[in-house]
Amino acid sequence: MKTLVALWDDFISLFFPVLCMACRQPLYGGEAIICTDCVFHLPYTGFHHDPGNRMARQLWGRITFNAAAACLYFRKGARVQSLVHQLKYRRQPHIGNKIGELYGVSLCESESFKQAGLVVPVPLHPLKLRKRGYNQSAHFAEGLSHSMGIPVLCDNLVRVADRETQTRKSRFMRYENMKDVFMIRDPSLFAGKHILLADDVLTTGATIEACCLELMKVPGVTVSIVTIAFAD
């Protein structure tokens, strides 16, 4: 029976192939979401092996954190942009899970990240969450949680204000724009924890900065930062 099902699936795929979310080429047996070629050839940063990586340096002096890393480089017109666009705007949240699972394996090899005990996604404002239907960073966090074997907590750090875009704002104006945007419902759930703060793409860093400033109000908290991509 399994052989017949497999043959039927192969027959259907001839006419309605499932495509890789990165390169848009057909997926073959055993592949899911991202093809094997893309898994091996996406532009990985390797930041988790370098405490002084470019992403970490961008945040130095702005917030206190243990480590910061991104899985991929984000470049316009490239495969990572396609992945992120589909994740955020084309209702493909499973892309976040897939990248989280892949990156979580690598983070477990890093002394800076493997000690994290809780994954927390950067939250969306309820209005944006209702419009989109899901939080892409939460799906990334779920993938990290699955491969790292640590829990994810999605509803304790919340976004209470929906501010205008950060585009073309100065660093000071970005900071002012993000003040009082986030809130922690129950600080005791974070107290003493090493939190892995997960987001999709780091550009200006203002959102991550605002989240970290709120998290660091909790006694005993250590924060490490991880994103799907870093805007190169």
Side-chain angles (χ1 to χ4, degrees):
M1 179 60 71
K2 288 184 178 179
T3 302
L4 289 175
V5 171
L7 288 172
W8 175 252
D9 288 343
D10 289 342
F11 176 76
I12 293 297
S13 67
L14 289 174
F15 299 96
F16 304 100
V18 179
L19 303 180
C20 170
M21 293 292 176
C23 66
R24 310 308 294 167
Q25 294 300 307
L27 295 175
Y28 296 100
E31 295 181 334
I33 305 172
I34 302 174
C35 71
T36 303
D37 184 67
C38 283
V39 167
F40 280 99
H41 294 103
L42 285 171
Y44 296 101
T45 67
F47 284 174
H48 56 287
H49 293 307
D50 178 14
N53 66 69
R54 288 172 57 196
M55 177 171 157
R57 292 199 304 271
Q58 183 172 322
L59 298 169
W60 284 352
R62 297 166 60 179
I63 48 176
T64 301
F65 61 95
N66 175 65
C71 180
L72 303 164
Y73 284 110
F74 182 96
R75 293 163 180 148
K76 289 186 177 181
R79 288 179 288 184
V80 175
Q81 184 183 33
S82 176
L83 285 171
V84 172
H85 183 81
Q86 291 177 85
L87 167 63
K88 295 179 69 171
Y89 307 117
R90 294 294 180 87
R91 297 188 177 276
Q92 302 291 342
H94 48 284
I95 293 173
N97 295 77
K98 177 71 172 182
I99 297 174
E101 290 177 5
L102 290 172
Y103 201 35
V105 174
S106 298
L107 294 177
C108 285
E109 300 171 354
S110 167
E111 291 296 328
S112 298
F113 291 95
K114 70 180 183 180
Q115 301 301 324
L118 183 66
V119 190
V120 176
V122 170
L124 290 179
H125 187 270
L127 292 177
K128 184 169 287 185
L129 181 61
R130 192 175 304 119
K131 181 179 180 180
R132 184 169 295 167
Y134 59 90
N135 178 358
Q136 70 278 359
S137 297
H139 282 270
F140 177 50
E142 288 168 5
L144 292 168
S145 170
H146 183 263
S147 57
M148 297 181 75
I150 57 177
V152 57
L153 184 57
C154 294
D155 58 358
N156 198 38
L157 176 66
V158 295
R159 186 162 185 153
V160 295
D162 190 18
R163 299 287 166 81
E164 59 189 280
T165 179
Q166 304 283 69
T167 306
R168 290 187 290 274
K169 288 184 181 294
S170 67
R171 177 176 167 181
F172 174 76
M173 289 303 296
R174 289 169 189 155
Y175 173 77
E176 287 296 305
N177 193 45
M178 295 302 295
K179 284 177 65 175
D180 303 318
V181 166
F182 298 100
M183 182 189 90
I184 296 171
R185 286 176 170 161
D186 185 353
S188 68
L189 297 178
F190 289 158
K193 297 286 198 308
H194 183 167
I195 292 173
L196 194 60
L197 181 64
D199 202 8
D200 51 11
V201 182
L202 187 99
T203 50
T204 68
T207 301
I208 286 289
E209 182 177 357
C211 285
C212 283
L213 290 173
E214 193 65 27
L215 289 170
M216 294 309 297
K217 295 177 184 178
V218 180
V221 159
T222 300
V223 179
S224 291
I225 300 156
V226 64
T227 65
I228 292 175
F230 174 76
D232 190 20

